Amino acid sequence: MEELEPNKKYISWPVLALMDFVTVIGFDDLAYNFQSQGMGVITSWAIMLFLYVIPYSLMVGQLGSVFNKEGGGLTSWIRGTNGEFLGYFTAWTYWAASIPYVVDTANSLVVGLGWLFNGNAGLQNKMSNGWFAFWTLVIFVVFIFTQSRFKRSLEILSTIGGVAIFGLTILFVLMTFTGLAMGGHIATQPFTIHTIIPKFNLHYLTTLGLLIYAMNGAELIAPFVTKLRHPKSDFPKAMIMLAAMTAFLTIFGSFSLGVFFNAYHLPKDLKMNGAYYAFQALGAQYHLGNILLYVYALAEVFYLAALLAVLLDAMTRMLISDTGNRYMPKVLKKTNSVGLPVNGYLLTCGLSAFIMSLGIFLPSMNDIFNWLLNLNGIISPGVTCWVFFAFIKIRQDSQKYQSDYVFIKNDKTALTVGWWCLIVTAIATIFGIGPQDVKFASSTWWYELIINFVSIIVLIGLGLILPYVTRREERSITGSAFTRWQWSGILTVILLTIIGDLYLGGSKLAHNIAGIVGISIVGILLVIIFGWKEYNLKEN
């Protein structure tokens, strides 16, 4: 019999399942993947759910149980199995993966405000790419300066908004089926068994990352595994309940979208506006006008605004607090008089602005939205690989890593499942680099491919440079890696290089590739020249 601690506060397994459900899937995720795969996504959801999501969640349960004294976070799992440096690098990649996510959240907030005020998708026709990026950046700056004052209330609002979105999603499914029962018709015609079977080709492989991006996040509930009364029996129950709810929402939700949208001829802006189109169509079917649309838009705006504020604060604080002092520069850990990590916020804003600037020269606002969303489908699954890597390590030495909850008692079988999930996620990450939603080998396709690589190299590569900056700080009497004029020179060169590359990239890219490469090489060399010499060194 398991002994319960008398003063410990426990949570029930249904509550844990609901907590995980809110982090795993949302209505937007249905629309994103519906455009990528049509109604064939129904089969994909079912396959992913039973062969990927369930084992993924159960692995997270064991990892959270093994490292329960360290909070059960992804960084602590890697640090505990592979040492301090990989722990730091995991924290960095997890943070870097959040950059496209917060930019996407800010973009979605702009789109949501457009629907809330206009009641239609007219914003994309009125707003240029430059203004789209500008207003996204303004939102960033506003939330950076205000989130600390309203953090607690915004956390509550994000929770309420998230629950409201899920409630509306379930309502959408139920009202769709009620409408069919009352004589409604399915827009996707012809509708046969072949309609829900995806085409397993190269395009399909490029869309796997977005499926994983929609369904990952289970590691966020890992710290709560040890708060169950009976982890061995309660956690599997919670995951079964999670699987049932997710299956209902993804399968029937995707079918419901096929009721209102012809899966053979989908709107090009379905990823950006699909959720709003869906509630607008549902309201029209029930003769409610735009009431349901405005209810959804209002809930989405409140949810996105609160989520953005919480993310900006949480991701920055996580970066500077959950990484080893040996690798994180002190300049990024510097706080102001009220304890805010000012330079950390500046780095977040700078990299977010950089990511936004890469998409400015895409043909339209819709292309920017789609590209940024698909970038999440590359980086987010890549970071999820760390979860399976950590699980494989603990099962390779299961005697050392004991836990109350164990996923599959046989180590060889558990390792096989762990390797399966790792390989699938790695394949999805690699093929996700190939652009979606644009014509293969077109100029836009090549441009998106290039900026995908640039984004990955910058976001991940910077994490490898920071330990070098830290070592320079340690060797300096002043504690600064570079002098003020060196910092000024480095930042100026980086800014000018980005501007030059963006200018050439936005005008006849195919004819300017050599110029872009040349400017980039010159910029890298100038950065090295500015930062090469070390000043104020300590005496040995």
Side-chain angles (χ1 to χ4, degrees):
M1 296 290 292
E2 298 171 85
E3 294 184 6
L4 300 180
E5 299 177 31
N7 297 322
K8 184 175 180 179
K9 293 184 178 180
Y10 294 96
I11 61 174
S12 64
W13 61 265
V15 171
L16 181 67
L18 289 169
M19 290 168 61
D20 202 10
F21 183 57
V22 173
T23 66
V24 167
I25 199 75
F27 194 86
D28 284 336
D29 295 318
L30 302 182
Y32 298 157
N33 288 284
F34 191 81
Q35 184 173 33
S36 295
Q37 296 187 15
M39 290 196 76
V41 77
I42 292 175
T43 302
S44 295
W45 285 126
I47 293 173
M48 290 294 293
L49 184 64
F50 292 103
L51 296 183
Y52 185 87
V53 176
I54 292 177
Y56 163 39
S57 300
L58 294 174
M59 289 179 205
V60 164
Q62 183 171 351
L63 285 163
S65 183
V66 170
F67 297 102
N68 62 84
K69 294 181 180 179
E70 299 181 56
L74 180 58
T75 302
S76 65
W77 303 344
I78 299 298
R79 185 185 294 121
T81 55
N82 296 274
E84 188 71 19
F85 178 75
L86 273 186
Y88 150 76
F89 194 63
T90 301
W92 173 264
T93 54
Y94 200 84
W95 178 83
S98 301
I99 293 292
Y101 182 44
V102 295
V103 177
D104 180 47
T105 302
N107 280 348
S108 297
L109 183 55
V110 174
V111 173
L113 288 170
W115 276 93
L116 190 60
F117 288 110
N118 299 323
N120 56 49
L123 184 69
Q124 61 184 316
N125 299 320
K126 300 175 183 177
M127 186 175 289
S128 67
N129 292 357
W131 280 108
F132 187 39
F134 171 76
W135 286 114
T136 301
L137 187 59
V138 167
I139 286 174
F140 263 106
V141 173
V142 170
F143 277 88
I144 282 288
F145 280 103
T146 61
Q147 54 79 27
S148 61
R149 298 185 180 184
F150 309 103
K151 183 186 175 189
R152 181 58 184 166
S153 58
L154 290 173
E155 287 178 350
I156 295 172
L157 276 177
S158 66
T159 303
I160 295 173
V163 171
I165 294 297
F166 279 104
L168 287 169
T169 304
I170 294 172
L171 180 66
F172 175 81
V173 173
L174 295 177
M175 291 182 71
T176 299
F177 277 85
T178 301
L180 287 176
M182 294 169 60
H185 70 282
I186 300 175
T188 301
Q189 296 294 337
F191 184 78
T192 67
I193 188 63
H194 299 289
T195 306
I196 63 172
I197 298 177
K199 296 179 180 178
F200 297 101
N201 51 23
L202 180 61
H203 173 73
Y204 182 82
L205 290 175
T206 64
T207 63
L208 279 179
L210 205 55
L211 275 172
I212 293 175
Y213 166 64
M215 295 183 122
N216 66 6
E219 62 273 10
L220 297 176
I221 56 95
F224 299 97
V225 175
T226 55
K227 293 185 179 181
L228 293 169
R229 291 182 180 274
H230 309 288
K232 292 181 182 179
S233 58
D234 287 353
F235 188 72
K237 291 178 185 177
M239 292 304 101
I240 291 171
M241 180 178 170
L242 169 68
M245 292 188 297
T246 305
F248 171 83
L249 194 62
T250 54
I251 293 173
F252 291 105
S254 297
F255 175 81
S256 298
L257 288 174
V259 170
F260 293 103
F261 302 102
N262 185 348
Y264 300 108
H265 302 285
L266 293 171
K268 291 183 178 180
D269 61 341
L270 192 69
K271 286 183 177 177
M272 183 167 69
N273 296 309
Y276 302 99
Y277 286 149
F279 277 93
Q280 191 173 46
L282 184 66
Q285 184 183 52
Y286 281 87
H287 307 292
L288 296 173
N290 280 342
I291 292 177
L292 292 178
L293 164 66
Y294 282 117
V295 170
Y296 177 81
L298 184 64
E300 182 80 341
V301 166
F302 270 104
Y303 170 66
L304 290 173
L307 177 64
L308 180 62
V310 173
L311 280 173
L312 285 171
D313 180 68
M315 61 185 285
T316 304
R317 291 181 185 273
M318 182 273 290
L319 175 67
I320 66 172
S321 63
D322 198 18
T323 53
N325 291 327
R326 294 166 53 192
Y327 305 107
M328 182 58 58
K330 293 178 182 178
V331 66
L332 288 180
K333 294 189 172 187
K334 182 180 179 181
T335 57
N336 62 9
S337 58
V338 293
L340 296 178
V342 179
N343 292 333
Y345 285 150
L346 289 176
L347 179 63
T348 301
C349 281
L351 286 176
S352 298
F354 169 72
I355 293 297
M356 284 187 290
S357 67
L358 292 177
I360 284 180
F361 295 111
L362 288 169
S364 68
M365 175 177 161
N366 183 54
D367 288 301
I368 296 175
F369 189 94
N370 288 348
W371 166 71
L372 190 60
L373 178 64
N374 295 334
L375 181 62
N376 280 293
I378 304 169
I379 295 179
S380 182
V383 174
T384 304
C385 287
W386 288 117
V387 174
F388 307 121
F389 179 68
F391 178 77
I392 289 169
K393 296 296 288 186
I394 67 169
R395 295 313 294 262
Q396 286 177 337
D397 193 355
S398 57
Q399 294 301 313
K400 178 180 177 181
Y401 299 103
Q402 298 286 330
S403 63
D404 292 332
Y405 169 73
V406 177
F407 170 56
I408 305 178
K409 293 183 179 180
N410 185 279
D411 286 334
K412 290 184 178 180
T413 305
L415 283 170
T416 300
V417 177
W419 278 109
W420 155 258
C421 289
L422 177 60
I423 291 170
V424 168
T425 310
I427 290 174
T429 301
I430 294 169
F431 279 96
I433 298 175
Q436 305 172 36
D437 309 309
V438 293
K439 185 179 179 181
F440 178 76
S442 63
S443 58
T444 303
W445 188 91
W446 282 110
Y447 182 69
E448 287 193 8
L449 182 65
I450 290 171
I451 59 179
N452 280 345
F453 276 108
V454 170
S455 301
I456 294 168
I457 291 170
V458 171
L459 289 176
I460 305 302
L462 187 57
L464 297 173
I465 296 174
L466 291 181
Y468 167 71
V469 176
T470 302
R471 290 195 296 271
R472 287 182 61 124
E473 286 181 341
E474 292 171 349
R475 292 194 292 261
S476 172
I477 296 175
T478 62
S480 178
F482 304 99
T483 62
R484 183 167 295 182
W485 72 267
Q486 282 180 306
W487 276 118
S488 299
I490 290 171
L491 294 176
T492 300
V493 169
I494 291 174
L495 182 62
L496 292 176
T497 301
I498 291 173
I499 292 173
D501 285 344
L502 288 175
Y503 175 77
L504 293 179
S507 56
K508 298 181 180 179
L509 173 64
H511 301 289
N512 293 327
I513 291 178
I516 292 173
V517 173
I519 289 177
S520 299
I521 292 174
V522 171
I524 292 171
L525 290 174
L526 287 175
V527 167
I528 293 173
I529 290 172
F530 271 110
W532 186 264
K533 188 173 181 180
E534 295 187 54
Y535 295 89
N536 304 315
L537 290 175
K538 296 177 182 178
E539 296 183 3
N540 294 329

